[in-house]
Amino acid sequence: MPLLTEKLLIISIRLENSNRKCIRYLGKLLGILPVRYSRRMEKRLFDGTWDPVKRYRKRCRKVHRGKKR
């Protein structure tokens, strides 16, 4: 999801430089989504309801246990 938010921000910045008013407005609307997502994830991170390290470690354990020697 972070890659998607990054791409949306880049697209919105490019659209905001347009000469057409409707395209600039569309760029602003696209820029709202990544900002809301990042604020929500920041809030979850500081509240303690989301732990990305725990998820990463869980994935590593699954991959490691799957190997047979």
Side-chain angles (χ1 to χ4, degrees):
M1 194 63 158
L3 182 66
L4 178 63
T5 58
E6 181 183 343
K7 293 295 182 184
L8 279 175
L9 279 175
I10 291 170
I11 291 170
S12 71
I13 290 170
R14 287 182 181 168
L15 290 177
E16 286 180 8
N17 293 331
S18 176
N19 292 332
R20 295 183 181 177
K21 188 175 183 179
C22 61
I23 304 263
R24 285 195 312 262
Y25 186 69
L26 178 65
K28 288 180 182 181
L29 286 177
L30 283 177
I32 290 172
L33 297 173
V35 172
R36 283 192 178 178
Y37 174 76
S38 64
R39 287 182 183 166
R40 187 179 65 139
M41 296 309 275
E42 181 183 6
K43 186 177 178 183
R44 284 179 62 196
L45 184 63
F46 287 122
D47 285 348
T49 58
W50 179 59
D51 187 11
V53 176
K54 182 179 178 182
R55 186 176 177 188
Y56 174 75
R57 288 182 182 159
K58 187 175 181 180
R59 283 184 184 172
C60 290
R61 279 195 309 249
K62 284 183 180 180
V63 171
H64 183 66
R65 287 182 183 173
K67 292 181 180 178
K68 293 184 180 181
R69 294 179 186 212

